[in-house]
Amino acid sequence: MQPGAHLDGLRIIEELHASNRSQVYRVRDEANGALYVMKTPSPNYEDDPAYIERFIMEEWIGSRIDSAHVVKIVSPPRGRKFLYYLVENIEGQTLGSWLKSFDTREINTAIKLVRQIGKGLGAIHRRETLHQDLKPDNIMVDHNGRAVIVDFGSCHVAGIQEIKTALKRDIALGTLDYSAPEVLTQSLPTRCSDIYSLAVIAYELLTRQHPYGEAYTRCTTLEDFRHLEYRPAWTHNPLIPTWLDGALKKALHLDPQLRYQELSEFLFDLETPNSSLTQDRPRPWVEK
C-alpha cells in the first residue's frame, strides 16, 4: 500500500519494512489521531493456507505475552475487513541502526540492553513459546533507551505442531548470523537456541563482531560447526573482563547441552563475576 491509502479507518503514513513475506506500515487512526504499526501479509502467499495460518498465529502469540520489553498487540479500533494486525507504535530505531553509533566501550550500557531483551525473551518463554529469530532488526530501542522485541514471525509454540491438520504447516527459520547450529541444521530447537541468539547480540554489542567469524554462515552440517573456534570477546575489546567473556562463551557453546539451560542464569552471570567461568588471559612471552 502507498502512503495516504485507507484501511478500516486507518491511514497509511509510511512503509517501515517490506520483504517477500510481509509489509510493515506506520498508520494513523483517522478518528482520534492515534499512531499504530500495521503488519500485512504478502500477496505472494494469498493461495497458501499454511502461510496464512502462521500469519494469523502471530497476533495470537503476541496477545498472550505481557512485558514492557515485548511489543503490545492492539485491537483494531473499528473491527477488521481485511487480514492484518496492529501493534503499538514505538518511537525510536531498530537495535541494528542503534548499533552503528554505539561505542563498544560502554559495556554497562550494552549489558543493560541485553538484560532488557532477556526480560522480554523470558516473558515469551513463560508462554511455552520460542522466538527463533532474535536479531537486532527485530528489536526496537525507544528514545528512553528501552529495548522491545517486535516480531513474532518465527515463533514456535509448544503443542501447536502436534495438533492434527490437513495443512503442511509453514516453518519460518531464523537469520543465519544469529541462529544456533541446531536451528540451522533443522534439529529440534529449545530455549537454549534463543539463549544462543541473545548471546550473539550481546557479543556484537560489545565487539561489533561475530563470535565465530564469517565462516559461521557457511556451515550447513553439525560437522561443519565442529570445526569452528570461539574467539574471546576481549581480543576485540580489551575492556571486557574475563568473567564476562566466560559467560558469553558458555552461552555461545555450539553444543546446546553445554550452554546455559536457564536464561536467568546467563543474565545473572553477565553482571556478576562467576569464578567457575573465569580464565586467565594468555600473556605474551615478553610480558611474562
Side-chain angles (χ1 to χ4, degrees):
M1 293 182 288
Q2 299 300 315
H6 296 260
L7 195 72
D8 292 344
L10 301 166
R11 181 164 58 86
I12 307 298
I13 298 175
E14 61 178 326
E15 184 181 78
L16 300 176
H17 174 76
S19 70
N20 68 331
R21 292 185 65 86
S22 62
Q23 294 80 39
V24 179
Y25 306 93
R26 182 174 284 113
V27 301
R28 187 186 303 277
D29 187 335
E30 295 189 308
N32 58 22
L35 292 174
Y36 306 109
V37 171
M38 173 190 289
K39 185 170 183 179
T40 63
S42 169
N44 297 333
Y45 297 89
E46 63 181 353
D47 296 324
D48 187 338
Y51 167 86
I52 294 171
E53 181 201 43
R54 169 166 280 280
F55 185 88
I56 292 171
M57 275 189 59
E58 289 183 35
E59 181 180 15
W60 175 76
I61 290 169
S63 68
R64 299 169 67 238
I65 301 165
D66 183 17
S67 170
H69 302 290
V70 178
V71 70
K72 289 179 170 49
I73 299 293
V74 178
S75 298
R78 284 168 296 280
R80 247 181 309 216
K81 297 178 182 177
F82 304 93
L83 182 58
Y84 63 86
Y85 67 89
L86 300 176
V87 300
E88 64 176 317
N89 179 61
I90 299 173
E91 295 292 344
Q93 57 186 328
T94 66
L95 182 59
S97 298
W98 186 89
L99 258 170
K100 294 175 183 177
S101 59
F102 177 64
D103 187 343
T104 57
R105 293 174 296 181
E106 297 291 334
I107 294 177
N108 288 338
T109 301
I111 297 305
K112 180 181 177 181
L113 269 175
V114 173
R115 186 164 186 81
Q116 290 183 57
I117 300 166
K119 287 182 178 179
L121 184 59
I124 293 172
H125 285 178
R126 284 193 292 277
R127 286 296 187 176
E128 298 298 320
T129 301
L130 303 179
H131 190 275
Q132 294 198 125
D133 194 20
L134 206 60
K135 60 182 180 181
D137 287 343
N138 282 342
I139 298 164
M140 291 290 293
V141 181
D142 71 11
H143 295 324
N144 297 316
R146 177 178 63 119
V148 184
I149 300 172
V150 296
D151 186 80
F152 310 109
S154 297
C155 286
H156 171 93
V157 183
I160 292 294
Q161 298 300 322
E162 288 72 33
I163 297 175
K164 291 184 178 180
T165 174
L167 299 177
K168 182 179 180 181
R169 285 205 161 88
D170 188 44
I171 298 175
L173 298 178
T175 306
L176 291 177
D177 287 349
Y178 300 92
S179 295
E182 63 272 17
V183 175
L184 297 177
T185 55
Q186 299 187 26
S187 300
L188 185 66
T190 66
R191 293 184 180 186
C192 295
S193 308
D194 278 348
I195 293 173
Y196 179 94
S197 299
L198 179 60
V200 175
I201 293 172
Y203 190 101
E204 185 176 0
L205 277 168
L206 293 166
T207 68
R208 296 187 185 277
Q209 304 292 327
H210 189 280
Y212 294 101
E214 295 179 359
Y216 188 83
T217 57
R218 295 195 293 268
C219 296
T220 57
T221 66
L222 290 177
E223 185 61 31
D224 292 338
F225 285 109
R226 292 191 185 102
H227 292 292
L228 298 178
E229 185 174 345
Y230 172 82
R231 184 167 186 183
W234 48 261
T235 62
H236 301 292
N237 183 352
L239 296 178
I240 296 174
T242 54
W243 58 265
L244 175 53
D245 181 63
L248 291 171
K249 183 178 181 180
K250 181 175 180 179
L252 289 163
H253 203 289
L254 297 173
D255 184 345
Q257 299 299 319
L258 299 179
R259 286 182 217 140
Y260 288 95
Q261 300 302 301
E262 295 295 334
L263 176 61
S264 58
E265 293 180 6
F266 172 50
L267 297 177
F268 181 81
D269 282 350
L270 283 179
E271 297 182 296
T272 310
N274 184 338
S275 58
S276 67
L277 300 175
T278 302
Q279 294 182 350
D280 293 332
R281 297 185 185 182
R283 291 186 298 162
W285 280 106
V286 65
E287 183 181 323
K288 294 179 183 179

